[in-house]
Each structure stands twice: as structure tokens, then as C-alpha cells.
């Protein structure tokens, strides 16, 4: 990763980070990771700022995952309720009843 990319990541504000989707957050986290892995001569001050920004991005990504998990659980609950309502309708309608009574209302035996 080049210095310009890192500089643009370091300039991100908290509200910008919080507005990002998970994929974008993960992309920035990976960019910072590439910076640390790809440079043998890292400036300590820049490294500290990058580390701090990575923590902000990771925190936002974790919160985004928690939100997505809750949304999925709500959707699962709605789907389960929907399935239960269909099953309840099927049970209440049931198959047509066959009578064992004769035409005169008495049992045939």
C-alpha cells in the first residue's frame, strides 16, 4: 500500500467510519494490515496512528456485525412465525372428513 492510501485512511473521521458498510470497513482494515506487513522501515508515529485507526475500524466492523446478526435473528423470527401461521391454516382446514355413518345417521353395523 502506498503512503497516499494510508494518509487517506488516517484522515477518516469517526462519523465516516460509522457510516461505512462492513465490506468497506474490512477493505480499510486489510489495507492497514498490508501496510504493516509490506514495510520493513515503518515510521513509529505513523504506525501508532495506523494502529489506532485499525482499532476504530475493527470496532465499527464488530458493531456492524452485531447489528446484522440482530437483523438476521429478527428475519428468522418473522419467517418462523410465517411458517407457523401456514401450518396452523393447514391443520385447521385439514383433509375433508369422511363420515362412517349411514344415510340415516346410524353407524353401518
Amino acid at each position: 500500500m502506498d503512503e497516499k492510501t494510508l494518509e487517506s485512511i488516517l484522515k477518516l473521521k469517526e462519523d465516516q467510519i460509522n457510516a461505512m458498510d462492513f465490506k468497506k470497513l474490512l477493505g480499510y482494515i486489510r489495507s492497514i494490515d498490508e501496510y504493516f506487513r509490506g514495510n520493513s522501515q515503518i515510521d513509529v508515529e505513523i504506525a501508532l496512528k495506523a494502529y489506532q485507526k485499525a482499532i476504530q475500524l475493527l470496532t465499527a466492523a464488530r458493531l456492524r456485525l452485531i447489528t446484522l446478526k440482530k437483523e438476521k435473528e429478527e428475519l428468522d423470527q418473522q419467517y418462523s412465525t410465517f411458517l407457523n401461521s401456514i401450518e396452523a391454516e393447514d391443520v385447521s382446514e385439514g383433509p375433508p372428513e369422511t363420515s362412517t355413518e349411514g344415510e340415516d345417521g346410524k353407524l353401518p353395523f
Side-chain angles (χ1 to χ4, degrees):
M1 172 177 53
D2 60 14
E3 291 291 324
K4 227 174 196 180
T5 304
L6 183 62
E7 286 177 24
S8 67
I9 294 172
L10 294 178
K11 289 179 183 177
L12 291 171
K13 304 281 189 240
E14 189 173 348
D15 58 333
Q16 292 173 304
I17 292 172
N18 292 334
M20 289 181 194
D21 63 13
F22 183 77
K23 186 175 181 179
K24 190 154 194 117
L25 290 165
L26 194 58
Y28 283 132
I29 293 165
R30 286 183 177 155
S31 294
I32 293 172
D33 181 57
E34 288 173 18
Y35 171 76
F36 281 111
R37 292 178 188 267
N39 291 317
S40 58
Q41 300 287 325
I42 297 177
D43 180 90
V44 173
E45 291 177 8
I46 293 174
L48 185 60
K49 290 176 184 176
Y51 181 63
Q52 183 179 25
K53 191 59 67 173
I55 290 172
Q56 281 182 307
L57 293 163
L58 285 166
T59 301
R62 182 176 179 273
L63 291 173
R64 177 74 58 201
L65 281 176
I66 290 169
T67 301
L68 293 171
K69 181 182 176 189
K70 286 179 183 177
E71 289 175 9
K72 184 195 177 294
E73 289 171 352
E74 289 173 9
L75 288 171
D76 287 344
Q77 181 60 43
Q78 289 174 2
Y79 183 66
S80 178
T81 301
F82 170 72
L83 287 179
N84 289 337
S85 70
I86 290 175
E87 290 172 2
E89 288 175 11
D90 289 347
V91 169
S92 65
E93 291 175 7
E97 291 186 28
T98 55
S99 175
T100 55
E101 298 177 354
E103 287 182 24
D104 59 357
K106 295 182 181 177
L107 292 175
F109 51 89

